Amino acid sequence: MNNRYGAYITPELAVPNLGHGTLDGLIFAVKDVFAVAGHSSSAGNPDWLRSHGPSSGHAAAVRKLLLSGASLKGATHTDELMYSLGGENYHYGTPVNPRASDRIPGGSSSGSAVAVAAGSVDFALGTDTGGSTRVPSAYCGVYGFRPTLGAVSMEGVIPLAPGFDTVGWIADSVNMLQKVGTALLGSEEIRKSTMARVFVATDCWALAGQESAASLSAGLRQLQAGADSTSETVIAPEGLKGWMDVFRELQGDEIWATHGAWIEKVKPTFGPDIAARFAWAASLSGKDHSLAQTMRQTISARLRLLLGEEKCLVIPTVPGPAPLLGGDLQQLEQNRSGAMMLSCIAGLAGLPQITLPVISDSGLPLGLSVIGGHGQDQRLLSWVKNIWQ
């Protein structure tokens, strides 16, 4: 396995296919949080690796892919316990972004995005809780998909915040993205692969830098041309920062409920930014989160009603290109907040989202996203495949 760009923590991991199907002959890698029989996952932290033994079987998603004819080669790097969007790991280093080598690859599915961008695999599995598949896909100039919450089993995947966690996948073509989606989501017949309306969320586009918005505009027009109608809307009258704050509060509370006992027992060494994030998550434990929970329910109901079955929302995946390597923590946190204001939308409502690669006028990777209605994963993938060439 070619590890020239440092995508892999375990490049020698190999599992042959278990059957034959639509993925015959294809090779995929997995983020180092998926159970693979006999393999010990690190979750991006040496203390996690030390305190957990090898898996007795394959994660449900991995097994589906193997049964569909694909072979697994390589476990890819992740940010520590998946709690970052940067891709810079304090312990294991930073995979090199093949399409912008002086910039971060994005996380926490950093290695999976780099493996695909480098061409070493046909596709890769990641996870996406707060943007961990969508953000690195955008930064590395590849295609990424976050499914409807619960559409793909998380069995055998190390959790972060179970009420938001999804299995994501990354590929270098929309055709491959859909092919993997068919294997993971099932072969449900798509009755209609068109969209009745494209909504352009103006409050989301306001977060993009001027150059980035201009570079994304051609892709936006292409998506609009593939729908029956298009209109502008403001999706967050309360402000996207307020939505992000709700997301972070509820996510942080779940994260501590999931990992707090292990952290208190093992006392793992974290990088400074991850340590600060877990300390903040610990401070949420035992507090009343009913207002945030009510707000999430309101946001979710509003978005699901808006999109229904045959409408979609088009937004920038991230505000701009990946930040330069070696930025200070304050700059990286500001960038993370901007990305989360965009990525929390699908996260709060449990909606499917595809990110499409666009190259900026200055030659840097950007991402353009389409969010579909709840449970409309295959319709979304099919529609985008038909119009995005």
Side-chain angles (χ1 to χ4, degrees), residues 35-97:
V36 176
H39 171 70
S40 297
S41 297
S42 72
N45 181 273
D47 291 310
W48 182 278
L49 181 62
R50 174 179 57 81
S51 59
H52 291 80
S55 299
S56 59
H58 301 316
V62 171
R63 185 169 180 80
K64 271 194 172 184
L65 297 172
L66 295 171
L67 287 170
S68 295
S71 299
L72 189 162
K73 290 187 179 178
T76 62
H77 281 293
T78 175
D79 291 343
E80 291 186 76
L81 270 69
M82 304 75 73
Y83 202 2
S84 178
L85 293 177
E88 297 178 289
N89 190 297
Y90 178 79
H91 306 281
Y92 297 121
T94 304
V96 176
N97 185 333

Side-chain angles (χ1 to χ4, degrees), residues 109 112-113 116-117 122-126 132-133 136-137 142-145 168-172 176-177 180:
S109 304
S112 292
V116 170
D122 296 298
F123 65 93
L125 285 184
S132 289
T133 289
S137 295
V142 292
Y143 294 82
F145 190 75
W169 54 98
I170 300 169
D172 205 18
M176 183 65 68
L177 206 67
V180 176

Side-chain angles (χ1 to χ4, degrees), residues 122-176:
D122 296 298
F123 65 93
L125 285 184
T127 59
D128 192 304
T129 303
S132 289
T133 289
R134 293 163 286 166
V135 171
S137 295
Y139 286 169
C140 291
V142 292
Y143 294 82
F145 190 75
R146 171 206 164 91
T148 294
L149 183 68
V152 179
S153 173
M154 283 287 293
E155 179 191 344
V157 184
I158 299 169
L160 178 62
F164 299 95
D165 291 343
T166 64
V167 170
W169 54 98
I170 300 169
D172 205 18
S173 74
V174 69
N175 288 351
M176 183 65 68

Side-chain angles (χ1 to χ4, degrees), residues 1-8 11 94-98 101 114-115 118 120:
M1 176 61 69
N2 179 4
N3 199 20
R4 173 185 172 190
Y5 294 95
Y8 301 95
T94 304
V96 176
N97 185 333
S101 60
V114 168
S120 65

Side-chain angles (χ1 to χ4, degrees), residues 39-368:
H39 171 70
S40 297
S41 297
S42 72
N45 181 273
D47 291 310
W48 182 278
L49 181 62
R50 174 179 57 81
S51 59
H52 291 80
S55 299
S56 59
H58 301 316
V62 171
R63 185 169 180 80
K64 271 194 172 184
L65 297 172
L66 295 171
L67 287 170
S68 295
S71 299
L72 189 162
K73 290 187 179 178
T76 62
H77 281 293
T78 175
D79 291 343
E80 291 186 76
L81 270 69
M82 304 75 73
Y83 202 2
S84 178
L85 293 177
E88 297 178 289
N89 190 297
Y90 178 79
H91 306 281
Y92 297 121
T94 304
V96 176
N97 185 333
R99 298 180 183 176
S101 60
D102 60 342
R103 294 174 182 266
I104 64 172
S108 62
S109 304
S110 57
S112 292
V114 168
V116 170
S120 65
V121 291
D122 296 298
F123 65 93
L125 285 184
T127 59
D128 192 304
T129 303
S132 289
T133 289
R134 293 163 286 166
V135 171
S137 295
Y139 286 169
C140 291
V142 292
Y143 294 82
F145 190 75
R146 171 206 164 91
T148 294
L149 183 68
V152 179
S153 173
M154 283 287 293
E155 179 191 344
V157 184
I158 299 169
L160 178 62
F164 299 95
D165 291 343
T166 64
V167 170
W169 54 98
I170 300 169
D172 205 18
S173 74
V174 69
N175 288 351
M176 183 65 68
L177 206 67
Q178 188 199 31
K179 185 177 286 190
V180 176
T182 299
L184 290 175
L185 296 162
S187 56
E188 176 184 327
E189 181 182 354
I190 307 300
R191 297 186 300 277
K192 188 178 180 184
S193 60
T194 60
M195 287 291 173
R197 174 170 292 184
V198 165
F199 289 108
V200 180
T202 55
D203 45 348
C204 296
W205 282 83
L207 292 174
Q210 185 174 356
E211 180 186 342
S212 296
S215 298
L216 295 172
S217 60
L220 170 61
R221 289 192 295 270
Q222 186 173 345
L223 293 169
Q224 289 174 311
D228 296 339
S229 65
T230 182
S231 61
E232 294 184 346
T233 188
V234 173
I235 62 164
E238 308 89 351
L240 284 167
K241 184 182 182 305
W243 283 26
M244 178 190 70
D245 290 342
V246 167
F247 180 90
R248 293 181 75 173
E249 177 184 342
L250 296 177
Q251 181 200 40
D253 184 52
E254 285 197 18
I255 287 170
W256 191 253
T258 301
H259 292 299
W262 175 78
I263 291 171
E264 290 178 337
K265 176 183 178 182
V266 175
K267 296 179 173 51
T269 299
F270 290 125
D273 55 334
I274 306 297
R277 223 160 276 154
F278 273 113
W280 177 77
S283 73
L284 299 172
S285 182
K287 293 186 177 179
D288 181 8
H289 302 291
S290 58
L291 287 177
Q293 290 164 350
T294 299
M295 187 62 192
R296 182 189 185 185
Q297 292 168 0
T298 299
I299 292 167
S300 179
R302 183 190 303 164
L303 289 173
R304 293 187 187 192
L305 180 63
L306 175 72
L307 298 178
E309 293 186 353
E310 299 180 8
K311 300 169 187 173
C312 65
L313 189 69
V314 180
I315 65 172
T317 307
V318 287
L324 291 166
L325 286 164
D328 63 49
L329 291 181
Q330 183 177 1
Q331 288 178 327
L332 290 173
E333 189 62 30
Q334 287 176 348
N335 182 271
R336 180 174 183 267
S337 294
M340 284 196 71
M341 278 190 263
L342 294 167
S343 62
C344 75
I345 298 164
L348 285 168
L351 300 176
Q353 179 175 341
I354 182 173
T355 179
L356 309 167
V358 173
I359 300 300
S360 74
D361 292 341
S362 56
L364 293 172
L366 299 169
L368 181 64

